[in-house]
């Protein structure tokens, strides 16, 4: 079984002693009850992975001797998920699932039919999503913690779609009205895949038309209608199976 992953801002070179404190150290020492002699994988969340061994343990801190250090190769194609804001009880679940499924970038989107409204509290919502990505990345032992961007309005999203298409990305708006299947897209040939997931009430006709005009493919993900909190994870699984990511 692989060693548990914990995150440091900077991971030292082999031979050095790393200090894991703060929330990560408290979780490791108090919640996980990790003790001297146990192996831990350290990461900076930006690709660096280091194998280490606990040499001292306190209540809220671990000292770790770094044995080896390497940089993980990023998965390709890169996957960016544009997630319309789910209801509050499912918001962080959606982020956790897409992180575990391999999302590289997560874009919160204030779509027309979103029940949640971040207009007055965007900073707080983004902070929660970033904390959720870190926790889920640790759970799934990821070398890269997904980036969570600033809140996007629809006008921002349309600019994102145009720019992504100009760079050769596949942009897929997942919707039950799609005339073609998501799996029919040439996913393995693109440098990036952008997944657009609508809110509980679905994408409205104006949004769908604007996204299509900007270059997005409106596609059907599968035979059933998925919740907004699970659609991205299902799509990421399909991307993983149909491209070199897996």
């Amino acid at each position: 079984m692989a060693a548990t992953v914990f995150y440091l801002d900077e991971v030292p070179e082999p031979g050095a002693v790393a200090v894991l404190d703060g929330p990560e150290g408290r979780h490791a020492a108090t919640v996980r009850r990790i003790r001297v002699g146990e192996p831990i994988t350290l990461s900076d969340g930006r690709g660096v992975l280091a194998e280490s061994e606990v040499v001292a343990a306190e209540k809220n801190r671990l000292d770790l001797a770094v044995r080896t250090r390497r940089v993980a190769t990023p998965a390709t194609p890169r996957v960016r998920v544009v997630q319309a804001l789910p209801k509050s009880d499912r918001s962080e679940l959606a982020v956790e699932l897409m992180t575990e499924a391999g999302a590289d970038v997560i874009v919160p989107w204030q779509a027309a039919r979103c029940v949640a409204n971040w207009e007055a509290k965007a900073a707080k919502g983004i902070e929660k999503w970033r904390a959720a990505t870190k926790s889920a990345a640790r759970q799934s032992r990821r070398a890269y913690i997904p980036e969570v961007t600033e809140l996007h309005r629809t006008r921002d999203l349309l600019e994102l779609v145009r720019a992504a298409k100009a760079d050769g990305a596949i942009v897929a708006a997942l919707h039950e009205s799609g005339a073609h299947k998501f799996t029919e897209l040439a996913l393995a040939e693109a440098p990036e895949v952008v997944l657009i997931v609508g809110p509980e009430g679905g994408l409205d006709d104006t949004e769908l038309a604007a996204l299509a005009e900007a270059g997005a493919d409106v596609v059907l993900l599968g035979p059933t209608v998925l919740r907004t909190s699970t659609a991205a994870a299902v799509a990421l699984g399909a991307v993983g199976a149909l491209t070199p990511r897996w």
Side-chain angles (χ1 to χ4, degrees):
M1 183 176 177
T4 304
V5 173
F6 287 94
Y7 296 104
L8 285 174
D9 290 339
E10 299 293 337
V11 178
E13 297 290 337
V17 174
V19 175
L20 189 67
D21 54 12
E24 289 287 282
R26 185 161 48 252
H27 183 80
T30 304
V31 179
R32 298 295 300 271
R33 298 183 181 277
I34 294 173
R35 297 294 180 253
V36 172
E38 293 189 44
I40 283 183
T41 299
L42 296 173
S43 176
D44 61 0
R46 301 183 298 277
V48 171
L49 291 169
E51 302 309 319
S52 69
E53 181 181 329
V54 179
V55 294
E58 299 178 15
K59 183 178 181 181
N60 296 316
R61 160 182 168 148
L62 297 178
D63 291 354
L64 306 116
V66 178
R67 306 302 189 197
T68 65
R69 190 178 188 272
R70 64 184 178 87
V71 178
T73 303
T76 56
R78 188 174 84 141
V79 181
R80 183 166 21 167
V81 178
V82 178
Q83 174 67 59
L85 305 178
K87 292 184 289 188
S88 59
D89 61 335
R90 291 185 173 272
S91 182
E92 290 171 51
L93 172 63
V95 174
E96 290 169 357
L97 290 175
M98 70 180 78
T99 298
E100 292 175 13
D104 298 300
V105 180
I106 301 171
V107 181
W109 172 34
Q110 187 73 62
R113 292 179 177 171
C114 284
V115 175
N117 189 328
W118 280 14
E119 294 296 343
K121 53 183 179 181
K124 183 177 180 181
I126 291 164
E127 181 182 351
K128 286 185 176 180
W129 279 26
R130 287 174 177 165
T133 63
K134 188 172 186 179
S135 176
R138 183 194 301 118
Q139 167 67 29
S140 49
R141 302 190 177 107
R142 289 191 55 172
Y144 292 89
I145 300 173
E147 173 193 355
V148 178
T149 73
E150 298 301 314
L151 178 67
H152 280 48
R153 283 75 176 176
T154 298
R155 63 179 180 274
D156 305 316
L157 174 56
L158 295 176
E159 292 178 5
L160 182 157
V161 171
R162 295 187 191 101
K165 290 294 291 184
D167 289 337
I170 285 178
V171 181
L174 309 177
H175 195 265
E176 60 190 32
S177 69
H180 300 283
K181 296 179 180 179
F182 176 62
T183 52
E184 294 173 350
L185 298 174
L187 300 170
E189 300 173 12
E192 180 180 36
V193 176
V194 179
L195 305 173
I196 301 175
V197 180
E200 283 90 349
L203 299 170
D204 72 15
D205 292 342
T206 301
E207 288 170 335
L208 276 174
L211 287 167
E213 183 179 355
D217 293 301
V218 179
V219 293
L220 185 65
L221 179 56
T224 59
V225 177
L226 300 170
R227 291 182 182 272
T228 187
S229 55
T230 56
V234 172
L236 281 156
V239 174
L242 296 171
T243 72
R245 288 181 65 90
W246 286 7

